[in-house]
Amino acid sequence: MKTVLIVEDDLINARVFSKILTKRGGLEVKHTENVEEVIKIAQSGEVDIILMDVSLSKSVYQGKSVDGIKITQMLKADPQTAILPIILVTAHAMEGDRENFLKQSGADGYISKPIVDHQQFVDQILALLPKQNN
């Protein structure tokens, strides 16, 4: 079973995403907003894809405040985690934001909140999951 890591500081959003992904997508879900944990989990190979909230208001790494863009940049810069697909999730859905965030972060996808179409949400995530060769 594929596993999604949800990096989200709003517990209600994290629960909603989790429920949609397990029920509709048949995916396993992990959740954390702890940056060290995100990096550790990504490097461990325990997850197949990351859903990254852009504006993580409480996240700190090495004494500095970091947002989802910064964490994504760090993961994409690390050869060990560079190929892990990362989808940015944000309520900042102004025109131009999508391109801007994707370019800035190096992320593989972008979903705006709130999630209205649950099936489309699941489909976007499934589309970026690495295909398994069995």
Side-chain angles (χ1 to χ4, degrees):
M1 186 182 278
K2 298 283 190 188
T3 304
V4 180
L5 173 60
I6 299 172
V7 184
E8 167 68 71
D9 58 2
D10 181 317
L11 281 178
I12 293 166
N13 279 340
R15 276 198 207 112
V16 170
F17 295 167
S18 185
K19 191 168 254 173
I20 296 169
L21 294 171
T22 52
K23 296 245 187 304
R24 281 197 182 226
L27 298 163
E28 216 164 278
V29 175
K30 289 177 184 283
H31 168 254
T32 185
E33 58 185 277
N34 176 309
V35 185
E36 278 86 5
E37 224 175 285
V38 170
I39 292 167
K40 203 177 97 204
I41 291 169
Q43 289 174 337
S44 74
E46 292 171 48
V47 295
D48 301 289
I49 193 164
I50 297 177
L51 272 189
M52 180 75 67
D53 183 23
V54 169
S55 47
L56 295 163
S57 53
K58 301 182 273 265
S59 293
V60 174
Y61 184 66
Q62 296 175 340
K64 290 192 209 75
S65 251
V66 292
D67 61 8
I69 301 282
K70 182 72 193 137
I71 300 167
T72 302
Q73 288 169 340
M74 293 183 327
L75 292 170
K76 290 298 184 182
D78 178 347
Q80 205 178 342
T81 54
I83 60 160
L84 191 61
I86 300 175
I87 300 177
L88 299 176
V89 183
T90 181
H92 301 284
M94 303 299 288
E95 199 165 322
D97 279 352
R98 179 177 208 273
E99 295 71 21
N100 224 345
F101 287 145
L102 287 173
K103 201 165 101 185
Q104 253 183 341
S105 66
D108 303 277
Y110 174 99
I111 296 173
S112 59
K113 291 189 268 195
I115 305 300
V116 184
D117 184 333
H118 293 183
Q119 193 55 53
Q120 185 189 11
F121 174 66
V122 170
D123 291 345
Q124 280 179 281
I125 292 161
L126 293 176
L128 279 175
L129 276 172
K131 303 286 174 260
Q132 259 177 325
N133 307 328
N134 290 359

